[in-house]
Amino acid sequence: MIQDITPHKLDNAFRNAEPRPTDKVFVFCEGKVLASIDEEGMELPDMSSIASLFEQVQKYAVYAFSVDDKPIFLMLQDGNADKELPAGMEYIELRKLNDAKEDWLAFAAVTASHLNHWYGEHRFCGSCGSRLELSDTERATVCPQCGNVQYPRISPVIMAAVTDGDRLLVTRYAGREYKGLALIAGFVEIGESLEGALEREVMEEVGLRVKDISYFGSQPWGFSDSVISGFFVKLDGKDNIYLDENELSEAVWLSRDEIPPQDSDISITAAMIEAFRKGVKV
Ligand SMILES: [Zn+2]
């Protein structure tokens, strides 16, 4: 999965660090990330090479996290799409970073994008409207007027692989760019347990009852500011599907040998489908 970057290590512990010219930095612009590209592939630019893009590059660089003890910063100001970029640099889609020189970069970029989204939405206090300040001691914003402290928001999502003997329920999303096989998934709502959210989502999306919930694993998924918890669950009762066409374009039962091998190991969706297809999960 995207977070499996061994032997590399992403250390997300907070540090109140100042950027040095050679430190790597994330610059986002309209959902894309700035990359430095040469014939060997792409990598992150360093602080010195983005200086021409910002008026006050030091002031708006915040420590994001470290990879293999190397600090990486995040620009709190979005890049300006109209500004001419230094030679060899380009804003690229996050999903294209799977081809980066460093195999940890895709996960690091999605995590930085999650942070960037959160910082961008926490410039002002939701309680009194004052401009928020960054905490010196932890990853948080602090209101100088009323003391309101905000931490990065992570929204829990459940994912359900519904099985019936040798069959797995697979779906395709309606109205999304991703057209591959999917599983039932949805955000946990206020006052719900993960199990309760799972039962509700399966009922809402395909009209099925389920039982025997077993935990598979989890995945941080900064694309949707979330952490996804994956479960295998068995059909309980009739297998007639009542499709929620707002969410899904298709939901079908596939037997193990009908399931195509997944061509990416990035997502927990693919990991769960593969686990069933290979008989690791029954
Ligand atoms: Zn306030």
Side-chain angles (χ1 to χ4, degrees), residues 126-278:
S127 187
C128 76
S130 302
R131 184 170 276 280
L132 293 171
E133 295 176 351
L134 301 183
S135 167
D136 290 336
T137 55
E138 56 184 351
R139 174 125 38 223
T141 55
V142 182
C143 177
Q145 290 299 318
C146 75
N148 178 13
V149 179
Q150 292 290 322
Y151 297 96
R153 187 186 62 213
I154 305 162
S155 302
V157 166
I158 58 86
M159 180 164 287
V162 183
T163 65
D164 178 33
D166 185 45
R167 302 188 301 167
L168 175 68
L169 183 74
V170 295
T171 66
R172 290 184 203 278
Y173 295 123
R176 286 206 220 167
E177 196 180 325
Y178 175 73
K179 300 294 179 204
L181 291 183
L183 298 170
I184 304 287
F187 287 99
V188 180
E189 296 192 354
I190 293 276
E192 266 185 334
S193 63
L194 300 181
E195 296 87 341
L198 186 150
E199 289 171 0
R200 174 184 53 74
E201 285 289 345
V202 175
M203 180 54 73
E204 281 177 6
E205 293 192 7
V206 288
L208 297 174
R209 290 188 187 284
V210 290
K211 62 181 180 182
D212 298 343
I213 296 174
S214 78
Y215 180 65
F216 175 80
S218 68
Q219 170 166 62
W221 198 241
F223 291 110
S224 54
D225 302 342
S226 56
V227 58
I228 303 172
S229 301
F231 299 87
F232 274 78
V233 66
K234 291 185 178 150
L235 175 70
D236 183 15
K238 293 187 174 163
D239 66 355
N240 306 50
I241 294 166
Y242 298 92
L243 195 66
D244 176 355
E245 292 176 355
N246 291 321
E247 294 276 338
L248 302 175
S249 64
E250 189 182 11
V252 290
W253 292 104
L254 291 184
S255 64
R256 265 199 181 83
D257 50 15
E258 290 175 317
I259 299 171
Q262 300 299 292
D263 56 9
S264 161
D265 61 356
I266 295 291
S267 69
I268 190 170
T269 308
M272 291 173 73
I273 292 174
E274 280 296 278
F276 185 80
R277 188 180 70 82
K278 292 177 175 169

Side-chain angles (χ1 to χ4, degrees), residues 47-183:
M47 287 295 300
S48 64
S49 63
I50 64 157
S52 64
L53 299 177
F54 296 94
E55 302 281 320
Q56 294 174 289
V57 71
Q58 287 292 116
K59 182 176 171 188
Y60 291 102
V62 64
Y63 174 78
F65 42 71
S66 293
V67 173
D68 301 339
D69 293 327
K70 294 195 179 72
I72 306 182
F73 287 78
L74 165 68
M75 286 303 292
L76 292 182
Q77 281 187 324
D78 265 17
N80 182 344
D82 297 331
K83 211 150 195 172
E84 194 176 339
L85 294 174
M89 285 196 205
E90 201 178 309
Y91 288 109
I92 59 168
E93 302 279 350
L94 287 178
R95 289 177 193 270
K96 293 198 177 146
L97 288 175
N98 294 331
D99 304 328
K101 283 183 199 173
E102 304 279 7
D103 50 12
W104 50 262
L105 187 54
F107 175 52
V110 172
T111 305
S113 145
H114 185 169
L115 270 179
N116 184 54
H117 187 215
W118 175 75
Y119 278 120
E121 290 194 336
H122 289 78
R123 293 186 173 125
F124 296 93
C125 177
S127 187
C128 76
S130 302
R131 184 170 276 280
L132 293 171
E133 295 176 351
L134 301 183
S135 167
D136 290 336
T137 55
E138 56 184 351
R139 174 125 38 223
T141 55
V142 182
C143 177
Q145 290 299 318
C146 75
N148 178 13
V149 179
Q150 292 290 322
Y151 297 96
R153 187 186 62 213
I154 305 162
S155 302
V157 166
I158 58 86
M159 180 164 287
V162 183
T163 65
D164 178 33
D166 185 45
R167 302 188 301 167
L168 175 68
L169 183 74
V170 295
T171 66
R172 290 184 203 278
Y173 295 123
R176 286 206 220 167
E177 196 180 325
Y178 175 73
K179 300 294 179 204
L181 291 183
L183 298 170

Side-chain angles (χ1 to χ4, degrees), residues 28-50:
F28 289 95
C29 180
E30 297 171 357
K32 295 180 177 177
V33 62
L34 188 63
S36 178
I37 303 170
D38 63 21
E39 58 278 2
E40 289 171 41
M42 39 187 133
E43 61 182 348
L44 287 179
D46 58 34
M47 287 295 300
S48 64
S49 63
I50 64 157

